[in-house]
Amino acid sequence: MNTVKAIYPGSFDPLTNGHLDLIARAAKIFDHLVVSILRNSSKNPLFTVEERVAMLSEGTAEFDNVSVATFDGLLVDFAREQRAHAVVRGIRAISDYEYEFQMALMNRRLSPDVETIFLMPDAKYSFVSSRLVKGVFRLGGSVDGLVPKFVVERLKDKSRTSIPEPSQ
Ligand code: PNS
């Protein structure tokens, strides 16, 4: 039987409930979903790759068909290596669209066989991003309900001043 495998790439710095909502949706559609953390991001991450792998592993433990991986370099090369058929990305609002559209078409140019599939998270997460979560937490605001409880705990383990000020 043919199985359909997808990659859900991102920074996940940190994992949010919006990410988890998307993972749950993608896990229903694909036989296997590989949530994949970019290792060499130019962004200055708050959490190490190992911490992000640990958070994603905890958050996705309930899904039998979801695994967690890391990658370097081009996403399409990783997709080919994984023999994945699709890349899953979330679109929360129109503002996400332009960047996602560019990335999807660049990836298609690089590897025409890999399709990008866009999924929408639940509307209640449409304003949630890792960047905003870090920004709010840094200034002492509550992020309860926006990220899993174990992520709140991990944020508390970081000193608030170590959280970089968001660029926008
Ligand atoms: O969560 P993010 O930071 O929006 O995820 C961005 C990510 C990791 C999906 C993207 O930066 C990526 O795929 N980087 C790998 C490099 C690559 O393949 N670049 C060419 C496609 S534009």
Side-chain angles (χ1 to χ4, degrees):
M1 200 180 79
N2 282 344
T3 58
V4 186
K5 186 173 184 180
I7 288 180
Y8 176 29
S11 305
F12 304 103
D13 183 45
L15 171 69
T16 68
N17 285 342
H19 293 134
L20 282 177
D21 179 276
L22 217 79
I23 290 169
R25 288 170 200 281
K28 279 195 267 179
I29 299 172
F30 297 101
D31 296 304
H32 189 181
L33 182 72
V34 187
V35 185
S36 309
I37 303 166
L38 176 65
R39 293 192 82 95
N40 59 347
S41 171
S42 56
K43 297 176 186 173
N44 180 20
L46 173 63
F47 289 99
T48 65
V49 169
E50 289 68 29
E51 287 171 323
R52 285 179 275 156
V53 167
M55 286 186 273
L56 271 167
S57 301
E58 188 166 351
T60 60
E62 66 182 282
F63 303 104
D64 291 340
N65 61 339
V66 176
S67 57
V68 179
T70 64
F71 73 104
D72 267 326
L74 286 177
L75 174 62
V76 290
D77 289 341
F78 180 65
R80 200 174 294 127
E81 200 180 288
Q82 289 282 315
R83 297 183 192 283
H85 307 85
V87 166
V88 172
R89 290 285 289 172
I91 296 257
R92 291 162 299 193
I94 295 294
S95 50
D96 284 338
Y97 181 78
E98 194 171 340
Y99 168 62
E100 294 298 335
F101 185 75
Q102 280 183 340
M103 207 158 60
L105 290 185
M106 179 60 82
N107 284 335
R108 177 177 286 167
R109 183 175 184 276
L110 294 167
S111 183
D113 293 342
V114 177
E115 286 298 340
T116 300
I117 312 282
F118 294 116
L119 295 177
M120 288 169 295
D122 191 304
K124 70 181 177 213
Y125 299 126
S126 58
F127 65 96
V128 179
S129 69
S130 299
R131 187 178 63 84
L132 275 188
V133 162
K134 283 182 284 191
V136 168
F137 186 81
R138 178 177 170 274
L139 297 173
S142 167
V143 294
D144 290 354
L146 305 182
V147 296
K149 282 201 172 66
F150 58 83
V151 173
V152 176
E153 293 311 313
R154 280 183 181 261
L155 280 165
K156 284 180 183 162
D157 289 344
K158 302 265 171 196
S159 86
R160 286 191 201 274
T161 49
S162 73
I163 302 177
E165 209 170 326
S167 47
Q168 303 166 19

